[in-house]
Amino acid sequence: HLNRRVISKRMQAASSESPETFTQAELEAYFTRIGYAGPREPTLETLNAIIFAHITSIPFENLDMAMGVRYHAWPRDSYRKIVQRGRGGYCFEQNGMLFALLQTAGFTVQLTMCRARFNRPPGFIGGRSHGVVIVIFDGREYLVDCAFGGCSLMCAMPIEEGEYATPEGPHRLVRENTSLVHQALLGTWTDLYLIDDVRAETLPCDLDFHHWYTSTSPQAMLWGRLIVAMPNRHGGRTTLVNTELKQRGADGRAVVRVLASMGELLAALRDCFHIDLPADTVFVNPALF
């Protein structure tokens, strides 16, 4: 395989106009987008502060899929959408962009692909359909995942067997043969995805390749459903699945409302997720209006 030093040098040699790299000015614009004004040194503490600011400012969303829009998931395409246009995105968009931005910030990073298992039968093995970031500190690898729907990680997690506290509750990695399964405590321990080879390095072009399948195949997890989710800075999370809006407070209590019209849906996107779509927006998702 290509080792991470080769990939890092390749990325650093790319021009600032590349779809894979960003300038310091673009990094600062990203920090403004997420409201981050903390230290810039590439430490674990800085990384966790960036992750928290990112995930509470940028919603997970697949609205373009629900609108039938075909688009690319290169880091620079995602940057234009998320930072410059104030939108959100799903894993290939958010984590791919974050990978390139963290590299600009001086972190040692790589991308890898995982096998999504959420809402699948126990032991399910599917294709690699979820992209995550790995950040390395002194040889120790940490999982960074700002875009797994309602179960995104709000801090970096060591890629080692064990249970870890996060701002939204416990997560853990458990051994399954030669792989690790990422689980979240959602009443019971629930499989999210399988990490079966963190050294199988992924390039940004690979994300765009996998994104095409994920955004167009009826067999893909996100196809045919509208999903938007974002945690709150003071606890709780707001989630929209098709027309069901769930607002869970820091105390764990949830208020659920079914949106009855396109006007209510657009208002919820604007008021709950800060996504302002035009009044003439049309969704092709058959589960909507």
Side-chain angles (χ1 to χ4, degrees):
H1 67 275
L2 294 173
N3 67 51
R4 64 177 60 95
R5 291 183 180 177
V6 171
I7 290 180
S8 181
K9 288 180 180 179
R10 177 185 299 172
M11 298 286 287
Q12 290 168 3
S15 76
S16 62
E17 296 304 312
S18 161
E20 302 177 359
T21 61
F22 295 105
T23 65
Q24 286 294 324
E26 289 169 326
L27 176 64
E28 291 301 321
Y30 162 71
F31 286 151
T32 298
R33 166 74 172 87
I34 64 174
Y36 178 73
R40 300 301 197 257
E41 295 79 10
T43 65
L44 180 58
E45 292 73 19
T46 298
L47 176 63
N48 282 331
I50 291 171
I51 291 170
F52 187 85
H54 177 118
I55 207 169
T56 55
S57 300
I58 299 175
F60 175 95
E61 51 110 327
N62 69 336
L63 295 171
D64 284 342
M65 294 182 201
M67 290 186 284
V69 176
R70 297 291 173 256
Y71 61 103
H72 289 285
W74 283 87
R76 184 162 292 281
D77 293 307
S78 301
Y79 182 91
R80 292 190 187 103
K81 175 183 176 182
I82 294 169
V83 175
Q84 296 177 343
R85 292 168 48 206
R87 287 278 302 278
Y90 80 119
C91 66
F92 296 138
E93 299 171 283
Q94 291 204 41
N95 289 335
M97 179 190 76
L98 184 60
F99 158 77
L101 287 164
L102 290 177
Q103 182 168 263
T104 299
F107 292 89
T108 301
V109 294
Q110 76 173 71
L111 288 165
T112 198
M113 294 290 297
C114 304
R115 302 182 189 276
R117 188 180 275 181
F118 186 65
N119 282 339
R120 300 289 192 177
F124 174 82
I125 301 293
R128 293 189 176 100
S129 60
H130 181 58
V132 301
V133 182
I134 296 173
V135 182
I136 302 99
F137 295 101
D138 299 322
R140 194 180 189 193
E141 296 170 324
Y142 288 80
L143 176 66
V144 174
D145 185 3
C146 288
F148 194 76
C151 300
S152 303
L153 273 173
M154 296 186 72
C155 61
M157 186 170 73
I159 305 181
E160 302 162 4
E161 286 185 79
E163 183 176 326
Y164 303 96
T166 80
E168 275 205 309
H171 285 239
R172 72 180 184 183
L173 293 175
V174 297
R175 180 68 57 184
E176 183 178 289
N177 300 319
T178 60
S179 305
L180 291 172
V181 181
H182 180 193
Q183 299 179 330
L185 187 59
L186 308 174
T188 60
W189 285 108
T190 302
D191 290 357
L192 303 183
Y193 48 83
L194 193 73
I195 307 171
D196 56 0
D197 189 357
V198 298
R199 289 164 186 81
E201 304 207 51
T202 299
L203 295 175
C205 57
D206 298 318
L207 295 187
D208 195 52
F209 180 84
H210 287 281
H211 154 74
W212 192 254
Y213 169 82
T214 303
S215 62
T216 60
S217 172
Q219 280 73 49
M221 182 182 297
L222 294 178
W223 196 88
R225 292 196 299 169
L226 183 151
I227 303 175
V228 191
M230 190 166 67
N232 307 315
R233 295 206 172 203
H234 303 294
R237 178 182 285 267
T238 302
T239 305
L240 174 66
V241 178
N242 292 331
T243 59
E244 182 179 278
L245 180 68
K246 179 183 292 186
Q247 295 174 290
R248 177 169 52 82
D251 59 2
R253 289 184 293 182
V255 176
V256 179
R257 180 164 65 99
V258 176
L259 306 178
S261 68
M262 177 63 83
E264 289 188 8
L265 176 60
L266 294 178
L269 291 173
R270 181 185 64 248
D271 298 340
C272 300
F273 304 103
H274 314 297
I275 297 174
D276 196 3
L277 296 181
D280 59 355
T281 296
V282 175
F283 290 105
V284 299
N285 185 336
L288 299 177
F289 315 101

